[in-house]
Amino acid sequence: MPAVRTPLSRRPTRVRRRYHLRTPAYVYMLVTVLIAVGAFNSQNNLLFWAFGFALATLVVSGVLSGTMLMGLEVERRALGDTRAGHPLVLSYTVRNQNSLVPAFAMRIEEIEPARVWWRRAARVATPWTEHCDRPRVFVAHVGPGEAVSARVPVLAHRRGLVRFEGVRVISSFPFGLIRKTMEFPLAEEVVVTPRRAEPPARARDRLGRAGDAAIASRRQGPGDEFFSLREYVEGDSPRAIAWRASARRMETGASGTGLLVRQNASPAPARLWVVLRLNPGAAAAADDNERAIALATGLVEDAAEQGLSVGLAVPRAGVLLRPLAGRAAVLACARELGVLHLPDLRTSADDGRFPAAAAAPGALVVVVHAGPVDQTFGPGASGETVHVSSDEAAPTEGAPSAGGAA
Amino acid sequence: MNIEAKLNAAMCWTVAVGVLAFAAADGAVSLMLLGVAGPLIAYVAGRPDPRRPGGGPWTLPRWLAGVLVFLAITSALLSATVMRDGTPLVSNLGAFLTYVQLIKLFDRRATRDEAQLLGLSVFTAIAAVLTSNSLAVGVLLAAYTPLAVTTAMRIEVASGRDLGAGVTVMAGRALWADLRRAVGASVVCACLLAAAVFVAAPRGVGNDWLGTFGAVPRAEVGFTDNIRLGQQGNLNERPTPVFEVTVTDGEGRNIGDPLRPMYFRGATRDTYDRRGIWLNSNEASRQSRELPEGGELLLDAPGPRPSLVMQTVQMRARIRGGDDYVFALWRPVAVRFQHPVQAAALRSDLTVKQAESGIRWSGRRTYTVVSALTDTDSDALEDGGRIGSEFATGPIADLARRVLAERLAPVAGAAGPADPLRGAEPRLAASVLRDFLRANYSYTLEMSLPREGQDPIEMFLFDTRRGHCEYFASALVAMCQSVGIPARIVAGYMATEFNALTGQYTVRESNAHAWAEVHVGPGRWLTMDPSPPADLERIHAPSRGLLARLKSWYDLIEFNWNEAVVTFDSASQSRLFRPYDERSGALQGAFERARKAVRRAGRNLGLISGDDAVSLAGRVAWWGAVSFVMLGIAYLARRRLLAPGRARRGGEMLDDEMRRLLAAARFYPRALRRLERAGLGKPRGRSGRAHAAALRRRHPEIAEPLATLAEIYEQVRFGRRALTQSDVATAAASLSRLEEALRARRRRRAERSARPA
């Protein structure tokens, strides 16, 4: 099921500011009160001065930090999608629009989904906390009118449509007494594509053989298969003239030279349908499903590498991608596999039928089963079908598997 | 210079100046040396050094820092409880804080440690304020303030390191220039606000309500009316200022003169008890009177204005023991005190004793003495002086008669030694005796003990022939009394140090002096100083030259410091606002109204004593209202205090289900704790599996179970998957394997370290 994206323009843009006292502030205030009591009790003038300075420090701290955060703007952009087990690169830009007051010592955090104060969309997208590490950014200083930016890689652990809600800027500057927080609603969604699992050897062999066989496409090209006839134009090779067809045409008294030239079809890659049969419902099947998704990813990538045209069908999720060739196939399939939301799988028997589109003759079909193989699931006699179980998936060397496929 | 190095420098400076301020306040030279040496070494050791493992600063091992702090605590507790040596609690506390700071300087690993160190330093500065209000402390605290602000800000800027090794740090172009500006602006604003609070805070409210809490132990000086001869040792030559005095004539003209020493008399003594102690025979008739702030003690009609001399004395230190004398050039006819005092006048010698009043006073102690130059003939003011019988016979009397006979013979004709005074004035006879002492005896501050049973005056006159001013004065008084001339010893100060910049004499502890007064006629006493003038000048004359000039500038600054800060009181507040009163009655009116309202509230609460204090019921009602407000504030503070805690406990970005899932995966944090303890802790920015991969090469036996544990944990944490029975069993087995591997590693290390080199 493709991800449903919430229109970003409808999200609130208001920045929220919060202040709260930290534990040192309470200690500080207690000490200030004691100094005041000591000053009034003893009339020790240096204690009066210390009391005044302690009060003034609190005031200066509040004013300075408030002014500092007043003109601050933060932007966050995810630089493209990523794959589980690989870093997701986030770009942060902090701009200080205040023309006088610099900003110091700010921690930048992504807002946790449970903490957003604006309306949460009921979404297929899942919070970033379930997918990747916490980005850790510290802004030591932004001068007046200045902007600083940095790219922060965070490790993505798990596939999915990742939702970032907003950015929080936290600062305790100047004295660590009051913690000021500003929250910027910056909603953004990023796809973390699944990890790849190595297909079993028999599947790889079959893909290799299918890659050697090409079929005629529906476009004119340099292949051997006939595509169409057209009129001869000067410069055409005499070997391309279709003599019999030209003779028949001349018999009908056609104008012009009457010669027809044979056009060949371009050779098309062999088609592969990867059909993913997932198990809905049972939580115990989640691992099987994830392994099957990783295996499907591996199959799609290997097939594209072999030069096959790859289509993807996930019957229970309503996903049907017509075969595409090359990198486009990998990207399209990876995105679709990435945003699959397992809790939303359809459970009725009709939804789990083999997709009719994949049953077209001449295509190789690889059915990836989450769990044990069900040989009855397939296109019937119309094409060659390879059944692969998620249990046959071998994790890619070195890749972490948390929450992922293998 | 990077952030770490800048923070290190600022922290070392802050600690050094804080400790120096406390050491200067407490007069602790050893702490002063520690305060310089410790931060200096810490600065060198605390610089990030790429040659060290990890490139970080050198730090004490945790256990050693812990042991040293424990020793410091034990030492402070022992000195405060078991070994009570009279050291004030604040001194003990300040020393303890200093030691802990010096230890912590070498034990800084995170921003939290830096913040703790700064907190300790601030407490040390407060301890300095509680110990002394001297100018040196003020100057050091003035230097301390911007340093502490700088350090606090640098700690915040450096706090990014707490986010772990993989944190991305962004910084603009001019970090340090902007930070300097921020420090400067903050310090200036804070000082202005602090000055406003200092000036406007109502003085006198709550005074003495909690005893001595917050009070500075005032400097005490050694003036004493206890003249006791025959003691061994050196006389005090400390230059501690005792008071400053401005001397004006009746028209208000300053009559101070650097070439004219002035004798400020305090106590008189006229009775000798043969044990070397001088007493005042009329002390019992001293009449005591409580005077409020601004009270005046009138002793006589002042007489015509031109004949008056005004002396405005501003005390710089409290007299040791709490009792003090009014110091005056000549006999006072009136004394006006600007502080509440228990004044006790003795009309026989016209001395006034001032004792601590029942009302504690922390403002300036200033009084103005009006002295009349002309003598009055009123016998009611003073008696004719006492002629004791202690010296009527004996070697002193013999000596006096012999001297007078020798020197007065030409004047008195052939009277002979049997009646040396016949025909001679007491003034002349006393002068002869004074000159005799000046010519034949030498001045010294070093004294030796008299022999057993020997009278100290006789030891001076016939044995050592050397002594200090008390011996000279005692000898003159004894010789005068022995020949029938009433005389008494006067203890006071000889002011020689006139500061032309302030128009004041500065009187120091080393200026303490004793001389004699001789009764030369009805109601007339003549000041006679038998100490050799050359020696007196050598001892009391202020030094001249560059240092002396610098010192006079220092005195000027110190005087203004005392005037503007240390002794700022309600009278100063009124004086400060008086000019505005003329221009804007509203401002002064508002200030006065506010001050009166605060004072009234203080009286209603019983914090200030006064005639219009409310009844017990009223006071209970007032306290009830105050308690209600305080409880409200406490309730609000508690809500604010607990709210962040609740939010924290709510768990960062974890929902209930995840917390439940993670509760079953406690094996993972446990494994991390084990690794941390073994010195193989996982850095914050690294995943468990990456840490296992990092450990794999050197510790494969640890890395393998750790990787398994991390994988299971991550499946729970990021895969939101509940642990199965098989997972639990695998985790338990891996954890035990990890612990076993760590134990084996520990054993190997122990064996290696036990093996002889």
Side-chain angles (χ1 to χ4, degrees):
Chain A
M1 190 175 83
V4 181
R5 290 172 187 263
T6 306
L8 298 183
S9 57
R10 269 199 263 145
R11 290 172 192 152
T13 53
R14 190 163 61 86
V15 175
R16 186 188 197 194
R17 289 184 174 79
R18 282 187 301 174
Y19 290 73
H20 60 255
L21 299 178
R22 300 174 67 203
T23 309
Y26 291 101
V27 175
Y28 183 86
M29 286 195 288
L30 179 67
V31 171
T32 305
V33 169
L34 287 177
I35 290 175
V37 170
F40 282 103
N41 181 65
S42 66
Q43 301 289 301
N44 176 348
N45 274 331
L46 279 195
L47 274 186
F48 274 113
W49 182 267
F51 169 59
F53 200 84
L55 280 185
T57 301
L58 267 182
V59 174
V60 166
S61 169
V63 171
L64 185 63
S65 57
T67 320
M68 183 181 96
L69 294 183
M70 202 66 82
L72 217 60
E73 278 187 0
V74 180
E75 284 175 15
R76 183 245 299 114
R77 268 187 319 120
L79 301 182
D81 298 341
T82 190
R83 159 178 281 188
H86 288 77
L88 167 68
V89 181
L90 300 170
S91 165
Y92 290 92
T93 303
V94 181
R95 189 172 292 110
N96 182 6
Q97 296 199 320
N98 200 318
S99 57
L100 280 176
V101 183
F104 296 96
M106 291 164 292
R107 212 167 71 221
I108 293 183
E109 284 181 355
E110 286 295 334
I111 297 175
E112 299 86 1
R115 300 278 177 83
V116 292
W117 49 275
W118 56 87
R119 182 180 60 81
R120 287 183 67 195
R123 291 296 320 282
V124 172
T126 43
W128 65 271
T129 49
E130 296 188 5
H131 293 271
C132 49
D133 284 346
R134 176 188 287 263
R136 287 170 305 135
V137 187
F138 185 75
V139 184
H141 163 247
V142 193
E146 199 179 5
V148 293
S149 58
R151 292 182 173 194
V152 184
V154 288
L155 187 65
H157 294 277
R158 186 170 170 256
R159 67 163 189 87
L161 180 59
V162 181
R163 180 183 171 84
F164 291 96
E165 299 287 357
V167 170
R168 179 188 296 130
V169 179
I170 303 166
S171 178
S172 305
F173 191 84
F175 302 121
L177 301 176
I178 306 168
R179 195 169 77 171
K180 284 77 60 178
T181 308
M182 282 177 80
E183 290 183 351
F184 296 86
L186 295 171
E188 192 172 5
E189 284 167 0
V190 182
V191 175
V192 176
T193 58
R195 293 174 204 282
R196 159 203 169 91
E198 290 298 324
R202 60 189 177 84
R204 278 205 306 272
D205 291 346
R206 184 63 194 86
L207 291 181
R209 275 186 277 125
D212 297 339
I215 61 168
S217 75
R218 292 177 185 173
R219 282 178 305 197
Q220 185 265 332
D224 297 330
E225 298 292 322
F226 172 78
F227 178 67
S228 67
L229 294 172
R230 65 168 169 80
E231 282 198 10
Y232 175 83
V233 292
E234 200 173 328
D236 280 343
S237 168
R239 294 170 65 182
I241 295 172
W243 295 109
R244 282 189 189 173
S246 299
R248 276 199 300 274
R249 190 168 183 247
M250 284 175 189
E251 283 173 3
T252 58
S255 59
T257 61
L259 291 176
L260 292 173
V261 178
R262 173 194 165 96
Q263 285 185 306
N264 288 345
S266 68
R271 285 199 303 276
L272 167 72
W273 277 96
V274 176
V275 179
L276 190 56
R277 185 171 163 271
L278 299 175
N279 282 337
D287 276 1
D288 289 339
N289 286 338
E290 289 295 346
R291 273 198 294 271
I293 290 169
L295 186 54
T297 307
L299 280 168
V300 168
E301 287 178 359
D302 284 0
E305 203 173 296
Q306 299 284 345
L308 297 177
S309 185
V310 189
L312 176 70
V314 188
R316 288 200 186 278
V319 173
L320 188 68
L321 274 183
R322 297 281 171 190
L324 292 168
R327 181 82 188 139
V330 175
L331 287 178
C333 292
R335 282 184 68 88
E336 287 301 333
L337 290 170
V339 300
L340 277 179
H341 195 229
L342 298 180
D344 292 346
L345 291 181
R346 297 168 191 168
T347 52
S348 71
D350 286 349
D351 291 326
R353 282 181 308 178
F354 190 87
L364 172 64
V365 178
V366 178
V367 183
V368 181
H369 296 266
V373 170
D374 178 5
Q375 294 286 353
T376 62
F377 184 82
S382 60
E384 184 185 355
T385 307
V386 179
H387 290 276
V388 181
S389 166
S390 60
D391 298 335
E392 296 177 71
T396 305
E397 185 66 27
S401 64
Chain B
M1 203 188 271
N2 63 17
I3 292 176
E4 306 275 326
K6 288 256 187 193
L7 175 58
N8 179 42
M11 182 57 79
C12 290
W13 271 106
T14 306
V15 169
V17 176
V19 171
L20 282 178
F22 174 73
D26 202 37
V29 180
S30 56
L31 285 188
M32 229 177 262
L33 294 175
L34 276 177
V36 174
L40 190 66
I41 298 168
Y43 171 70
V44 176
R47 284 183 304 182
D49 186 353
R51 287 170 300 179
R52 294 192 191 110
W58 183 84
T59 51
L60 280 178
R62 283 262 186 225
W63 66 268
L64 184 57
V67 167
L68 289 174
V69 170
F70 175 74
L71 289 177
I73 292 171
T74 310
S75 158
L77 285 176
L78 284 177
S79 66
T81 53
V82 181
M83 301 181 298
R84 280 184 197 157
D85 52 359
T87 313
L89 181 64
V90 177
S91 295
N92 275 331
L93 189 64
F96 166 68
L97 288 172
T98 302
Y99 299 141
V100 176
Q101 278 178 84
L102 294 178
I103 297 164
K104 286 289 287 179
L105 266 177
F106 297 94
D107 185 30
R108 288 175 288 159
R109 289 175 169 81
T111 311
R112 188 189 180 89
D113 297 323
E114 306 277 3
Q116 283 174 355
L117 188 51
L118 181 63
L120 289 172
S121 179
V122 169
F123 280 122
T124 311
I126 294 172
V129 170
L130 292 174
T131 307
S132 168
N133 281 353
S134 70
L135 175 62
V137 173
V139 168
L140 284 167
L141 291 179
Y144 178 83
T145 305
L147 279 172
V149 170
T150 305
T151 307
M153 290 190 180
R154 286 186 183 179
I155 287 174
E156 287 301 316
V157 171
S159 64
R161 66 182 176 179
D162 287 354
L163 298 179
V167 65
T168 305
V169 177
M170 300 194 259
R173 282 186 298 275
L175 166 62
W176 299 113
D178 279 345
L179 196 63
R180 270 196 299 274
R181 277 193 281 275
V183 169
S186 302
V187 170
V188 168
C189 292
C191 283
L192 289 174
L193 283 171
V197 172
F198 176 81
V199 168
R203 300 303 200 273
V205 176
N207 190 7
D208 209 16
W209 191 53
L210 296 174
T212 59
F213 177 68
V216 180
R218 286 179 171 275
E220 292 187 333
V221 292
F223 178 81
T224 174
D225 56 1
N226 182 15
I227 299 175
R228 182 188 290 264
L229 304 176
Q231 290 178 317
Q232 197 173 20
N234 287 351
L235 276 195
N236 181 15
E237 287 187 282
R238 285 197 306 175
T240 313
V242 181
F243 60 85
E244 267 115 10
V245 55
T246 310
V247 185
T248 58
D249 62 14
E251 307 296 329
R253 287 185 296 264
N254 195 315
I255 56 171
D257 187 345
L259 300 175
R260 182 180 175 192
M262 293 199 176
Y263 289 87
F264 286 90
R265 54 201 295 277
T268 65
R269 292 289 180 263
D270 57 4
T271 306
Y272 189 68
D273 77 346
R274 282 283 170 189
R275 289 172 302 164
I277 300 171
W278 284 95
L279 302 167
N280 191 328
S281 57
N282 297 310
E283 192 63 36
S285 57
R286 200 177 280 279
Q287 291 175 345
S288 183
R289 203 177 136 200
E290 179 87 27
L291 290 175
E293 175 188 349
E296 189 170 278
L297 184 70
L298 200 61
L299 299 166
D300 191 17
R305 204 164 176 76
S307 65
L308 299 180
V309 174
M310 315 285 192
Q311 304 124 77
T312 304
V313 177
Q314 185 170 338
M315 299 302 294
R316 288 279 293 275
R318 201 174 61 169
I319 300 300
R320 196 169 289 137
D323 281 352
D324 201 356
Y325 281 87
V326 167
F327 295 100
L329 281 175
W330 289 278
R331 58 185 191 181
V333 292
V335 186
R336 185 181 298 117
F337 295 94
Q338 289 182 13
H339 54 280
V341 71
Q342 186 84 25
L346 187 59
R347 288 181 169 263
S348 62
D349 62 354
L350 281 174
T351 59
V352 180
K353 205 170 182 177
Q354 51 168 334
E356 294 279 351
S357 161
I359 304 165
R360 221 173 90 224
W361 181 258
S362 56
R364 63 168 60 82
R365 289 167 187 270
T366 305
Y367 55 88
T368 303
V369 183
V370 181
S371 300
L373 281 178
T374 52
D375 296 330
T376 63
D377 292 331
S378 168
D379 286 335
L381 272 178
E382 49 186 291
D383 62 16
R386 180 176 178 278
I387 305 172
S389 58
E390 300 88 355
F391 306 106
T393 58
I396 296 175
D398 294 343
L399 176 67
R401 287 171 198 282
R402 185 163 53 79
V403 170
L404 288 176
E406 287 171 6
R407 311 283 167 97
L408 291 181
V411 180
D419 191 7
L421 279 176
R422 192 164 39 154
E425 282 186 306
R427 178 195 296 259
L428 181 60
S431 302
V432 166
L433 294 173
R434 179 195 66 190
D435 294 342
F436 167 74
L437 289 171
R438 281 180 174 179
N440 295 288
Y441 294 84
S442 57
Y443 192 95
T444 182
L445 295 173
E446 293 172 23
M447 288 308 302
S448 51
L449 279 173
R451 291 192 309 276
E452 184 66 32
Q454 186 182 26
D455 180 71
I457 300 176
E458 290 177 5
M459 177 190 77
F460 168 71
L461 285 173
F462 306 112
D463 194 358
T464 62
R465 302 177 74 84
R466 301 165 72 235
H468 53 70
C469 55
E470 288 181 359
Y471 282 90
F472 278 93
S474 299
L476 179 60
V477 171
M479 289 169 83
C480 284
Q481 288 192 2
S482 71
V483 294
I485 303 172
R488 62 193 179 200
I489 292 181
V490 183
Y493 289 97
M494 182 179 175
T496 55
E497 190 179 331
F498 182 74
N499 191 333
L501 296 167
T502 59
Q504 290 177 318
Y505 284 96
T506 301
V507 177
R508 300 178 187 277
E509 213 171 349
S510 57
N511 291 132
H513 190 47
W515 61 93
E517 281 181 348
V518 179
H519 190 247
V520 293
R524 299 184 65 191
W525 288 83
L526 187 66
T527 297
M528 286 214 168
D529 190 353
S531 299
D535 293 325
L536 276 184
E537 188 171 347
R538 176 174 53 79
I539 292 166
H540 292 286
S543 57
R544 307 190 191 282
L546 182 63
L547 274 180
R549 206 171 306 159
L550 288 176
K551 197 163 168 306
S552 69
W553 278 103
Y554 178 83
D555 285 341
L556 174 66
I557 296 169
E558 194 177 30
F559 175 77
N560 285 317
W561 164 259
N562 283 325
E563 184 78 6
V565 178
V566 178
T567 59
F568 189 85
D569 53 13
S570 52
S572 310
Q573 283 179 324
S574 298
R575 272 201 305 277
L576 193 67
F577 283 94
R578 199 171 298 142
Y580 302 102
D581 186 24
E582 291 162 7
R583 279 182 237 159
S584 164
L587 179 66
Q588 169 70 4
F591 178 74
E592 277 302 319
R593 275 198 301 278
R595 203 159 70 90
K596 281 177 184 163
V598 171
R599 290 186 73 86
R600 200 181 311 123
R603 273 194 293 273
N604 290 337
L605 290 167
L607 302 178
I608 305 174
S609 56
D611 298 337
D612 55 345
V614 297
S615 63
L616 181 65
R619 193 171 294 179
V620 168
W622 269 86
W623 272 110
V626 169
S627 305
F628 182 74
V629 172
M630 295 296 285
L631 281 174
I633 292 170
Y635 172 72
L636 291 175
R638 185 171 174 272
R639 281 190 62 179
R640 292 291 299 162
L641 183 69
L642 292 184
R646 274 200 292 270
R648 272 199 301 277
R649 282 195 297 278
E652 47 167 342
M653 64 181 173
L654 299 178
D655 52 33
D656 290 342
E657 185 195 351
M658 179 54 76
R659 275 200 294 277
R660 202 170 48 250
L661 289 174
L662 285 180
R666 280 193 296 262
F667 55 83
Y668 184 65
R670 189 172 157 189
L672 293 185
R673 280 199 300 275
R674 297 276 186 278
L675 287 171
E676 177 79 38
R677 220 171 291 160
L680 298 171
K682 179 179 84 65
R684 281 189 69 179
R686 189 187 278 175
S687 73
R689 252 194 264 222
H691 191 53
L695 292 176
R696 195 176 300 281
R697 198 172 63 80
R698 293 192 61 187
H699 309 287
E701 73 287 359
I702 296 172
E704 194 263 323
L706 177 63
T708 308
L709 290 172
E711 184 176 339
I712 298 172
Y713 173 78
E714 285 174 3
Q715 283 179 12
V716 175
R717 174 69 185 85
F718 298 107
R720 225 171 233 285
R721 207 198 68 180
L723 287 178
T724 61
Q725 288 295 331
S726 144
D727 288 335
V728 173
T730 310
S734 299
L735 184 62
S736 65
R737 268 192 298 146
L738 177 83
E739 288 172 339
E740 179 53 40
L742 290 173
R743 273 197 294 273
R745 177 173 175 271
R746 202 162 50 238
R747 276 197 300 272
R748 281 198 303 275
R749 286 162 71 96
E751 285 166 10
R752 227 180 2 252
S753 62
R755 204 178 298 150

